[in-house]
Amino acid sequence: MRTLVLVHGRAQEHKDPLAVKREWLGALDEGAHHAGRPLDLPDDRVRLPYYGQTLFDLVSGDADRAADVVVRGDDDGPDAETLFVREALLEVAERAGVTEDAAREAGTEDVVERGPMNWAWVRATLAALDRLPNVSAWSIALATRDVYQYLHNVRVRDTIEDGVRKALDGTQGAVVVSHSLGTVVAYNLLRREAGPRGWDVPLLVTLGSPLGVTNISRTLRPVSWPDRVGTWFNAYDPDDLVALRPLTAPWFPVDRIDDYGKVDNPTSNQHGISGYLSDARVAATILEALEE
């Protein structure tokens, strides 16, 4: 049997790594039940490299303050990280159907200039976004901030990738299942190192992936199929605003990705991992690859 490698996303701090692993496997077991097939995975065939607490400690210990600083910026104007997050948030708002009129109505002051350089416009757009059901603009800001840190902060990237690299080393066929920030990590690492390190990855699964967000895919250009990955299955809930776009052209122009956009994620923000792994098609795709 092949090895299952689970690459988690953000907001996993203050958790027991074994509890995180049990959450993933419990949800996969539910999905397997929906798919009508048993889940029988020996513990030594499942690896979950846990970096949640380290990421939290490296990036910021105060989530509310971090979101405010990242989105608002400082008196000298927005830095590169702030602009990155703002651009993503404005794209999310547009995708969610927040109109210019709705943003102006939500604003507490006269807003004239649109765009990420204008804090008043960003704040008004976030207020309108927060009025939508099951949406937290701060949560989306923090998720985007963590992706930025992974892509631009060498210390953060090396720390995260070291654990994933160790999980993949020594496997004789690894089914890699990733979620949220973890999809960016898995894709970026496999693209760079799967070939040189000789990893055999018959299936890469990306769940709730932000890879289709414009400034994330732009940072990763030129995007390409990772060497030694056989099949790529991407699943998303259309109401999951972190998974902003399908992984198809023009947002993520890589051919052959099996893009599945019919997940009905029952978690509070349509982004939780349990709501993805409990989907029958997601679970069946993973189990079929493990059994081959």
Side-chain angles (χ1 to χ4, degrees):
M1 180 180 286
R2 293 164 172 165
T3 300
L4 178 62
V5 177
L6 309 173
V7 187
H8 68 75
R10 70 169 308 275
Q12 300 302 301
E13 63 274 4
H14 311 313
K15 292 186 177 181
D16 179 349
L18 291 178
V20 176
K21 183 177 176 180
R22 284 195 296 268
E23 178 188 3
W24 282 58
L25 293 179
L28 182 58
D29 184 49
E30 182 179 348
H33 175 76
H34 294 322
R37 54 193 311 148
L39 176 64
D40 183 17
L41 288 175
D43 190 64
D44 63 353
R45 290 292 183 179
V46 183
R47 301 179 181 181
L48 188 147
Y50 176 75
Y51 59 84
Q53 190 60 47
T54 302
L55 174 65
F56 180 79
D57 293 339
L58 286 173
V59 174
S60 176
D62 185 343
D64 291 335
R65 181 177 181 278
D68 185 61
V69 170
V70 166
V71 176
R72 181 170 182 174
D74 55 36
D75 294 337
D76 295 327
D79 58 14
E81 181 184 55
T82 301
L83 285 175
F84 185 94
V85 174
R86 287 184 182 183
E87 287 177 12
L89 283 166
L90 293 177
E91 188 177 3
V92 166
E94 181 182 5
R95 172 70 174 79
V98 173
T99 65
E100 181 177 342
D101 288 343
R104 292 185 185 280
E105 179 184 348
T108 57
E109 55 191 277
D110 186 30
V111 178
V112 178
E113 182 185 356
R114 296 190 298 165
M117 292 294 291
N118 183 357
W119 160 237
W121 175 256
V122 173
R123 181 168 55 188
T125 304
L126 294 184
L129 189 61
D130 266 332
R131 292 181 179 181
L132 300 178
N134 301 323
V135 174
S136 167
W138 285 146
S139 294
I140 297 170
L142 288 170
T144 309
R145 183 275 311 261
D146 285 355
V147 172
Y148 178 91
Q149 286 290 323
Y150 164 73
L151 291 173
H152 295 276
N153 185 321
V154 174
R155 186 182 178 198
V156 171
R157 183 170 63 250
D158 287 350
T159 299
I160 292 174
E161 289 185 348
D162 184 58
V164 180
R165 190 178 292 113
K166 289 176 180 176
L168 286 165
D169 280 343
T171 57
Q172 302 299 314
V175 174
V176 178
V177 179
S178 56
H179 175 240
S180 194
L181 166 64
T183 68
V184 182
V185 175
Y187 166 71
N188 196 30
L189 183 61
L190 290 172
R191 180 182 61 165
R192 295 188 343 260
E193 299 189 18
R197 297 183 77 89
W199 294 328
D200 175 25
V201 182
L203 175 66
L204 167 63
V205 177
T206 49
L207 305 172
S209 176
L211 282 166
V213 175
T214 298
N215 56 4
I216 294 175
S217 61
R218 183 174 62 228
T219 303
L220 291 165
R221 286 178 186 169
V223 296
S224 60
W225 189 276
D227 287 343
R228 301 186 64 83
V229 169
T231 301
W232 185 342
F233 178 74
N234 178 62
Y236 64 96
D237 182 323
D239 292 326
D240 177 2
L241 293 181
V242 174
L244 183 65
R245 307 286 188 188
L247 299 191
T248 57
W251 302 290
F252 196 81
V254 174
D255 294 335
R256 295 191 292 128
I257 298 175
D258 184 359
D259 211 57
Y260 171 60
K262 296 183 179 180
V263 175
D264 184 11
N265 192 320
T267 60
S268 61
N269 58 3
Q270 284 84 47
H271 184 63
I273 183 59
S274 61
Y276 276 111
L277 289 173
S278 60
D279 179 90
R281 184 177 172 192
V282 171
T285 300
I286 295 169
L287 294 177
E288 286 169 6
L290 286 169
E291 293 165 358
E292 289 180 4

